[in-house]
Amino acid sequence: MTVALSLALGAAAPARAESADLLDDARDLMGDRQVTAAMEVLVGVAMDEATTADTRVHALELVATCLVRLRRIREAREALRRLLDLDPGYELREPRPHRRVRNIFRRMRRSYEPQVDVRVYVHAPEAFPMEGSGEELVTVVATPSGATGGVE
């Protein structure tokens, strides 16, 4: 069963410890190269209804790291997509994230950021009767999906 399917169906969450402790356990397993075992723990944390939203997204970051280590890149992208769906402003928390996870995350995150169109209009000095006066009009317009628009 793939992780994406496990995330969709809801894996049974271990009840023996707090979610934050389970993240530490999973990191230890990853350090011992027991990536599959770590991923099982992390999926359980992510699916546990008692897990806080903050811990859930952090668990998904670590799931993506496990999947990259297992060369399951498509599923890693899906875990990161789910993470960003839950928290579009999320920043990677691991002190030294896997290079590939960091790169995939940065590319994906751009699609979750609003597109901003900034236009600056500077009027010619002749338009202002007093010496030294000038005025700039700055218009900032948030546009969906890179569409152009604005107040002119």
Side-chain angles (χ1 to χ4, degrees):
M1 179 181 328
T2 66
V3 171
L5 186 56
S6 296
L7 291 173
L9 296 177
R16 66 175 175 78
E18 294 293 323
S19 297
D21 294 335
L22 291 172
L23 292 182
D24 291 336
D25 293 347
R27 275 194 211 90
D28 291 342
L29 289 167
M30 291 167 69
D32 293 340
R33 299 189 186 278
Q34 297 179 34
V35 179
T36 303
M39 191 170 55
E40 290 174 12
V41 170
L42 293 164
V43 169
V45 170
M47 296 310 303
D48 185 357
E49 291 180 12
T51 300
T52 65
D54 187 57
T55 302
R56 178 171 289 113
V57 291
H58 194 177
L60 287 168
E61 175 185 342
L62 293 170
V63 166
T65 300
C66 290
L67 290 165
V68 163
R69 286 184 174 181
L70 295 169
R71 294 182 169 82
R72 292 164 58 182
I73 305 306
R74 183 174 292 151
E75 290 172 275
R77 281 190 183 103
E78 184 57 35
L80 290 172
R81 186 176 338 277
R82 183 174 172 113
L83 179 159
L84 287 167
D85 285 344
L86 293 171
D87 184 358
Y90 186 82
E91 296 286 339
L92 294 176
R93 296 196 185 140
E94 288 302 297
R96 294 172 50 207
H98 189 284
R99 178 184 51 82
R100 192 142 190 202
V101 169
R102 185 179 60 239
N103 292 340
I104 293 168
F105 180 80
R106 284 180 181 166
R107 281 192 305 270
M108 290 181 72
R109 184 147 181 247
R110 284 187 200 126
S111 68
Y112 284 81
E113 294 173 350
Q115 301 297 315
V116 177
D117 180 18
V118 178
R119 298 178 190 195
V120 179
Y121 300 93
V122 180
H123 300 282
E126 309 78 60
F128 302 97
M130 296 173 31
E131 186 177 329
S133 69
E135 184 175 322
E136 287 186 357
L137 173 64
V138 178
T139 305
V140 179
V141 181
T143 56
S145 304
T148 58
V151 178
E152 295 188 25

